Amino acid sequence: MSSTPYQDALSSVEKTLDRLKRCTEDEKSKLRDELAGLRSMHDKLVSGRVEIVIFGEISTGKSALINALVGSQVSAVDVRGGWTKEVWHVAWDGAGYTIPGFAQSQVILIDTPGINEVGGGPRGEMARDAAQRADLILFVTDSDLNETEYSALVELATFNKPILLILNKIDLYSPSQRERLLEVLRVDRLDGILPPEQIVTACADPREKEYIIQSADGSERSEWRKPKADVAEVKALILKLLEKEGLALVALNGALYAADQSDKIVSLRMSLRRTQAENTIRAYAVSKGLAVGLNPIGVADVMGGSAVDIAMILHLANLYGLEMTYQKASGLVWGIAKAAGWVSATEIITSGLISLFKTVTMGKGTLVTAIPQGAAAGYGSYIVGMAAMYYLEHGSSWGADGPKVVVKGILESIDKESVIQQLKDEIGKRIHLNRHAKK
């Protein structure tokens, strides 16, 4: 039996959750928000929940629109504006829509802070996360779009979600003014961004009107009354869209969310592991420098250095969660050395001459040669480590370029003098702290 797009979306979220569960504790601690988001998305798909997120500037009537759609005062509407300080949810029980096959399906309306007060702080991040999770976006304005609104709407369009633009507070305009505003929005502002039929009007919180009431005795008195909210056009368009594409929208949104979170998890894991890998490479480069530089026996020093390189690659493979045998690690060291060409030759010649000097002086010249020989050996190890890191990050593959191109790129990107000087400094400190070396 073939799976449906909805089942595929649920499966992709579950696979991403499973990948996150296999992260290290350090990685999990840095991915708490992603884990919470994926669990929420999983619950959303399992229950068939539809999420409609409302955006707009302060005082355009976002909260009033939610009240009018729900049919009760679930959100405070304040004349000061900027009342909504957090992202919050309310069930739209009167929507009359459920995803086919999901008895517990709900439509949820989600309000966000005004786009002109969000900025780049935590509330901005919450608003962006809400947009990313949304199945449908409502953008509320009460006039022609200003620069802030237009920029926000264009950015929201990049999330690839259906967007309905609501021209609210139409009671502030005459019929001719309304028609002109709609024409400006549909033709001048949003042509190519939103289809004209996805731009509709509303009067979510009508202003009070003065009514003249005539009594039976012929006397007159005035009374101010608030007309009923008019959001029929908005509700009709939402339900028409959900009836036609609701299931597909939720499935697509779930799959897109899982893919985005998966990329984020991979990126963060790679960043964390790259930092750990680079620290590991530097530590092994220094260790190799000390092993080669302080070994008083000629030839044995070079052999010991090769063992350090193999151990480094085995350590890096374990860090990336990849299996690596000693033989394969040894072959990788040799392959990188060949690809490096003049680097390995320089190391061999330098180490060979110094090894010969150690042999002639019967080990007495070790301290004289330790730092230069160690730095040369450490630099070679550093190149081997950086190349191995690339190889492991790409799934134990050099890709289409091959090892020579990769190593060449690494050599061109590294400041050799800086690396060698750092190695000399570190090796010198280690020798200074080694009481046995002083003898």
Side-chain angles (χ1 to χ4, degrees):
M1 180 179 177
S2 60
S3 62
T4 66
Y6 203 94
Q7 291 169 332
D8 291 340
L10 182 59
S11 176
S12 67
V13 171
E14 290 173 342
K15 287 177 182 177
T16 306
L17 269 170
D18 185 59
R19 181 178 299 140
L20 207 159
K21 290 174 183 175
R22 293 199 301 268
C23 291
T24 65
E25 291 305 315
D26 184 43
E27 291 168 346
K28 286 178 183 177
S29 69
K30 291 179 171 61
L31 289 164
R32 280 193 300 267
D33 292 342
E34 285 73 16
L35 177 59
L38 282 164
R39 283 174 174 164
S40 177
M41 179 57 73
H42 184 267
D43 293 343
K44 177 181 182 303
L45 288 170
V46 169
S47 64
R49 189 168 69 242
V50 180
E51 295 187 355
I52 302 174
V53 181
I54 296 92
F55 286 89
E57 281 198 324
I58 57 174
S59 301
T60 55
K62 297 184 291 95
S63 299
L65 179 66
I66 290 177
N67 289 335
L69 288 170
V70 173
S72 60
Q73 197 75 8
V74 294
S75 172
V77 179
D78 193 278
V79 294
R80 292 172 301 173
W83 186 257
T84 304
K85 300 301 182 185
E86 302 291 343
V87 172
W88 59 272
H89 306 61
V90 60
W92 186 10
D93 295 328
Y97 175 79
T98 58
I99 290 182
F102 292 84
Q104 302 303 315
S105 176
Q106 274 188 311
V107 178
I108 303 295
L109 299 173
I110 302 174
D111 199 2
T112 62
I115 57 174
N116 48 342
E117 63 171 1
V118 163
R123 284 199 293 170
E125 188 61 36
M126 285 191 294
R128 281 186 289 275
D129 185 62
Q132 189 179 37
R133 292 172 49 83
D135 301 303
L136 174 63
I137 292 173
L138 305 186
F139 193 95
V140 183
T141 186
D142 58 7
S143 62
D144 186 11
L145 297 177
N146 59 38
E147 186 176 346
T148 300
E149 290 175 307
Y150 181 80
S151 298
L153 189 58
V154 169
E155 183 180 356
L156 287 170
T158 64
F159 286 93
N160 298 309
K161 310 293 177 68
I163 300 174
L164 307 184
L165 179 72
I166 316 301
L167 175 58
N168 193 23
K169 302 185 182 180
I170 55 169
D171 57 326
L172 301 179
Y173 304 100
S174 67
S176 61
Q177 288 174 324
R178 294 176 196 173
E179 290 304 314
R180 177 58 186 151
L181 260 177
L182 285 172
E183 182 183 6
V184 168
L185 290 170
R186 288 169 175 165
V187 179
D188 298 340
R189 298 285 180 265
L190 300 173
D191 184 35
I193 299 175
L194 287 184
E197 62 272 16
Q198 290 179 204
I199 301 173
V200 294
T201 61
C203 185
D205 186 27
R207 51 183 182 166
E208 291 185 341
K209 290 183 178 180
E210 184 180 17
Y211 292 87
I212 304 299
I213 301 172
Q214 190 172 32
S215 301
D217 60 3
S219 62
E220 294 183 345
R221 61 185 176 87
S222 67
E223 186 176 306
W224 288 87
R225 296 177 184 174
K226 182 187 283 289
K228 288 185 178 181
D230 182 7
V231 293
E233 193 177 3
V234 177
K235 182 176 180 179
L237 184 56
I238 292 173
L239 293 180
K240 179 182 178 182
L241 187 62
L242 292 181
E243 289 289 349
K244 183 180 179 183
E245 302 178 4
L247 185 65
L249 285 176
V250 176
L252 177 62
N253 181 39
L256 287 173
Y257 188 83
D260 181 80
Q261 295 304 300
S262 179
D263 289 346
K264 189 183 293 186
I265 291 167
V266 169
S267 177
L268 180 60
R269 289 180 72 184
M270 291 302 291
S271 176
L272 290 171
R273 293 182 183 190
R274 174 172 277 267
T275 299
Q276 291 177 296
E278 288 175 347
N279 290 336
T280 297
I281 291 165
R282 279 191 292 271
Y284 271 94
V286 172
S287 297
K288 179 179 176 179
L290 288 167
V292 172
L294 290 177
N295 193 327
I297 305 172
V299 179
D301 54 0
V302 178
M303 296 297 293
S306 298
V308 173
D309 284 345
I310 294 170
M312 173 178 63
I313 287 181
L314 290 171
H315 190 151
L316 289 172
N318 183 63
L319 182 65
Y320 282 97
L322 299 171
E323 291 186 6
M324 177 77 69
T325 64
Y326 186 91
Q327 290 75 16
K328 189 173 180 179
S330 177
L332 186 56
V333 170
W334 177 243
I336 294 171
K338 284 200 301 182
W342 64 267
V343 176
S344 58
T346 300
E347 184 179 345
I348 291 169
I349 293 169
T350 304
S351 296
L353 290 173
I354 293 175
S355 291
L356 178 62
F357 176 70
K358 288 181 186 178
T359 303
V360 170
T361 61
M362 301 187 69
K364 293 179 181 179
T366 301
L367 287 182
V368 177
T369 61
I371 292 179
Q373 186 189 23
Y379 179 69
S381 190
Y382 185 81
I383 298 302
V384 168
M386 295 299 288
M389 182 173 71
Y390 177 96
Y391 178 81
L392 295 168
E393 282 184 348
H394 290 77
S396 298
S397 171
W398 295 111
D401 294 331
K404 285 188 177 180
V405 175
V406 171
V407 174
K408 182 181 177 183
I410 290 170
L411 291 171
E412 290 174 349
S413 66
I414 287 173
D415 184 343
K416 179 181 178 181
E417 291 184 6
S418 175
V419 172
I420 287 182
Q421 187 57 53
Q422 288 174 18
L423 290 168
K424 283 182 177 180
D425 293 343
E426 187 62 32
I427 290 169
K429 289 177 186 176
R430 297 281 188 92
I431 290 174
H432 178 71
L433 293 173
N434 186 342
R435 60 187 179 86
H436 299 291
K438 294 176 184 178
K439 300 177 182 180

